[in-house]
Amino acid sequence: MSTHDVLLTGGRVIDPATGFDAVADLAITGGEITYLAAPGKETPEAETVVDATGKILAPGFIDLHAHGQNLTGHRLQAFDGVTTTLELESGAAPIRSALNWSAEQGRPLHYGFSAGWLHSRILVMEELEDKADALDPLPLDSWASLQHLQSWRGEATPEQIGRIVELTAKQLDAGGLGIGMLLGYAPGTCAAELQAIAELAVQRDVPLFVHARRGGPEGLEELLELSRSTGVQVHLCHFGSTNSGSLAESTQLVLDAYAEGLPFTTESYPFGMSSTVIGAAFLDPEVMKQTGRDPRRIIVLETGEEIASYERLAELRAEDPGTLILGRTYDERIPEDRAALQQAVTLKDAAFASDSMPVKPASSGCMAGLENPTDIDEWPLPEGFVVHPRATGCFTRAISWLARDAQALSLSEVIARSSTIPARIMSRAFPEFKRKGTLQPGSDADLVVFDLESLTPNEDFTRVEPTTGVDQLWVGGVQVIEDGQLKPEAKPGRALLG
Ligand SMILES: [Zn+2]
């Protein structure tokens, strides 16, 4: 009989890819799952045996939408059950900086970036191509630092479009997993540019990951039409937050797109609060007035200030347009909003994806004034940081809220949306993902073990706190969390490249 590296016994193993859901023994050897069966007469031999009685074993979660791509972000996501964390909505350009930086520091989780269309667009339209290497390697931070510039939000000339497409294609050559399109942040983009990028994606047979130009049916229909006319695979980011004002109509559009067979997929994060930079085009006070949105629903992340008026909003945007804010898209204190949020995030066949943001020093905390928190390599994380809790407990909130407490989705369904569905979305273009999102022998040993009853994601917006209840986490067969404790030296994460 062969000997396995690790054997987990007595846990409830849920593999939505095959429908397997039973108490079973599971073994891993090297980077692979090598055994899965209900307990029999003979127990397989292993170097290490872990008693998982009473726990849930699931394929590691695959996050399609994570901006918090530094060491701290990865470590926080490990406690959320994540084994693969991808920056696909924004993507990167130059992608080489992001990949080199991640590889040099090492990462506990598998990671990858899409080709950043908007980053390429900024480099071209602001004539910054020769300064690109000096930008922060974290795409979200480099983008936040360029919010004071304006040209990149408007329409590009045909000559510029040619250069943007070329620069985006280069990021695909350098390992981009599809093309990230923060379209809603550059609403002046013309149809010809959108068409040219979609054609590039079709030519390379990769998906687009899009923040829609507008919220609601109009933004959604633009993307469905693009997919219909070019055949491009479109993944719509954060359906829930982008369609909060038109839930019934937008839901129907998505269901119709599924029925039509369009290569269209989507995701949501299970929070009513959104988070972005205050300089976003859709937070322009004039735009907000037109659409009847209240500035008092916006909160400055680092100070907790609720923005009292359109005038105050304009002032803060002028001061530092890269400031991170929170937005009460759904007000979870109001039962109707909470019900609408639940409806939005349980949309048929949609993935969960965190939209995690990088941690920032709280203005009142001891880290205030820290210039660049990107490179912190300290664990446990010191006090004095803030972040939207979707960075620390997205998937575990989906499980504890939607499966355990509200019973709106089965546990297997939530795990499918956290692992198997995102793996399928990626595997259409990137076959490597066929080895993920499942616990079948022969697949990658990316695995989470958690205690359903005690699972507690942090929901406090004023402090960073890892989720408790995730007991064990293996990434590529290497243990990153052991008995609820992070192993800070464990950095088995591999770059996933297109
Ligand atoms: Zn977005």
Side-chain angles (χ1 to χ4, degrees), residues 15-20 59-60 62 64 86 207 209 233 235 263-266 349-351 412-413 415-438:
D15 182 9
T18 59
F20 188 99
I62 298 169
L64 300 175
L86 306 170
F209 301 92
Q233 182 185 351
H235 179 80
F264 175 84
T265 56
T266 188
D349 292 342
S412 172
E413 174 85 30
I415 292 169
R417 288 163 178 258
S418 304
S419 185
T420 312
I421 289 177
R424 270 187 208 141
I425 290 170
M426 295 306 286
S427 65
R428 202 184 128 102
F430 312 108
E432 200 172 353
F433 282 86
K434 290 192 173 136
R435 299 170 50 85
K436 299 189 182 296
T438 174

Side-chain angles (χ1 to χ4, degrees), residues 322-350:
T323 299
L324 293 185
I325 55 98
L326 302 167
R328 259 186 235 289
T329 305
Y330 302 82
D331 190 336
E332 291 191 46
R333 300 165 301 187
I334 302 169
E336 292 76 21
D337 269 32
R338 178 94 173 177
L341 173 65
Q342 181 172 318
Q343 192 196 328
V345 303
T346 54
L347 172 69
K348 184 179 187 306
D349 292 342

Side-chain angles (χ1 to χ4, degrees), residues 30-145:
E32 270 188 22
I33 292 173
T34 43
Y35 182 89
L36 172 63
K41 279 185 220 127
E42 268 184 275
T43 307
E45 281 179 30
E47 309 264 325
T48 309
V49 178
V50 177
D51 181 8
T53 305
K55 313 288 183 187
I56 308 289
L57 274 67
F61 305 146
I62 298 169
D63 192 352
L64 300 175
H65 187 158
H67 303 299
Q69 288 292 337
N70 50 19
L71 258 179
T72 302
H74 273 235
R75 286 168 172 167
L76 291 169
Q77 286 208 288
F79 286 95
D80 196 23
V82 176
T83 51
T84 299
T85 175
L86 306 170
E87 162 59 283
L88 302 179
E89 184 208 37
S90 149
I95 200 167
R96 169 174 37 87
S97 308
L99 288 170
N100 289 349
W101 166 65
S102 306
E104 275 161 27
Q105 287 188 333
R107 292 287 183 260
L109 313 182
H110 300 313
Y111 57 92
F113 301 85
S114 65
W117 160 78
L118 186 57
H119 284 72
S120 301
R121 192 171 208 269
I122 296 173
L123 295 179
V124 168
M125 294 181 75
E126 304 290 352
E127 302 289 349
L128 287 170
E129 275 181 84
D130 56 345
K131 299 189 182 72
D133 289 331
L135 293 170
D136 195 298
L138 183 70
L140 196 283
D141 277 2
S142 71
W143 179 63
S145 75

Side-chain angles (χ1 to χ4, degrees), residues 371-391:
E371 209 151 273
N372 187 359
T374 294
D375 283 328
I376 283 183
D377 183 2
E378 268 186 73
W379 194 265
L381 187 69
E383 295 272 309
F385 286 94
V386 279
V387 76
H388 187 307
R390 69 193 187 193

Side-chain angles (χ1 to χ4, degrees), residues 148 181 409 431 457:
H148 59 288
M181 293 201 78
L409 294 173

